Amino acid sequence: QSSSKVVVSRGNPLARLMIIGEAPGASEDALGKPFVGRSGKILDSLLQDVGIDPCKDVFICNALKCRPPNNRRPTKRELVSSLPWLKQQIKLVDPWVIALAGSTAVDVVLGLKDRISILRGVWQFWEGRMVMPLFHPSYLLRNPSKVEGSPFFLTLGDLLEVQNRLKGLQEADTMKISNVDMGFKS
């Protein structure tokens, strides 16, 4: 079964946080929005748990914009051909922080091929932005335990780091704006 539509995004295009996943699945293809199936419900729940509103505080998209046939992993060629679209989305949204959900997104954006279990939770710096690799929510579906040290527990901690970084950047931006308003140069 192949894709029937292009799945562009969901969320706020003015958000300071962008989450990038791999590719649309069946639910995403049917509804035309990324992360709306079971993985999306987990992602939304995790975001809400750390105080991030999935509708207002984040822009969500995928590296590949169309569902691969039979929901297979995207090929390198497909990902490379979609990269200009993704880079244009990043440029237009202009997020302060990017969270990469899963190893495919990490490879596409950062060019890192290490296992996600090694990369997750470690801040990366890419083209002037802070980037946090995360376990993909579908991995959390396959590993549902929420005990300390579990993938679910670690992802919640990683998203809390993301939220804290966003708050810090927001405070710095507010200080810069108020200093300019008072005639000070920052």
Side-chain angles (χ1 to χ4, degrees):
Q1 166 121 349
S2 47
S3 128
S4 64
K5 58 180 66 129
V6 176
V7 178
V8 179
S9 67
R10 75 174 170 102
N12 181 358
L14 301 175
R16 294 303 185 188
L17 171 61
M18 177 182 252
I19 296 177
I20 302 170
E22 179 180 277
S27 297
E28 291 76 13
D29 188 50
L31 296 174
K33 294 180 181 181
F35 285 99
V36 293
R38 290 175 56 219
S39 293
K41 288 178 184 16
I42 284 183
L43 178 62
D44 287 356
S45 176
L46 285 163
L47 290 169
Q48 289 167 343
D49 286 349
V50 299
I52 297 172
D53 183 318
C55 297
K56 293 192 285 190
D57 300 332
V58 65
F59 181 88
I60 301 172
C61 65
N62 281 304
L64 188 64
K65 306 305 180 197
C66 295
R67 180 180 182 211
N70 301 315
N71 213 37
R72 66 162 164 68
R73 188 180 184 110
T75 65
K76 188 72 172 169
R77 183 177 178 190
E78 288 168 335
L79 292 166
V80 167
S81 68
S82 291
L83 191 56
W85 297 100
L86 179 61
K87 286 191 170 187
Q88 185 65 18
Q89 274 185 309
I90 294 168
K91 182 180 177 185
L92 290 171
V93 174
D94 195 22
W96 290 342
V97 176
I98 297 174
L100 300 173
S103 58
T104 299
V106 171
D107 183 15
V108 168
V109 174
L110 299 175
L112 300 175
K113 297 185 186 316
D114 293 329
R115 290 190 337 252
I116 193 68
S117 58
I118 294 169
L119 296 170
R120 62 123 299 268
V122 179
W123 284 107
Q124 305 287 328
F125 196 69
W126 176 79
E127 296 193 10
R129 300 173 207 288
M130 297 304 304
V131 179
M132 174 63 79
L134 306 169
F135 285 126
H136 194 283
S138 65
Y139 182 69
L140 305 180
L141 284 170
R142 296 188 304 272
N143 297 278
S145 172
K146 296 181 182 179
V147 300
E148 187 172 339
S150 69
F152 193 95
F153 179 87
L154 295 171
T155 302
L156 195 58
D158 295 343
L159 285 170
L160 194 54
E161 284 284 322
V162 166
Q163 175 67 323
N164 289 337
R165 181 64 52 112
L166 285 167
K167 284 180 182 175
L169 291 169
Q170 179 66 45
E171 289 168 8
D173 193 55
T174 301
M175 290 292 291
K176 187 166 50 174
I177 290 169
S178 63
N179 284 342
V180 168
D181 289 346
M182 294 190 300
F184 298 115
K185 293 186 180 182
S186 50

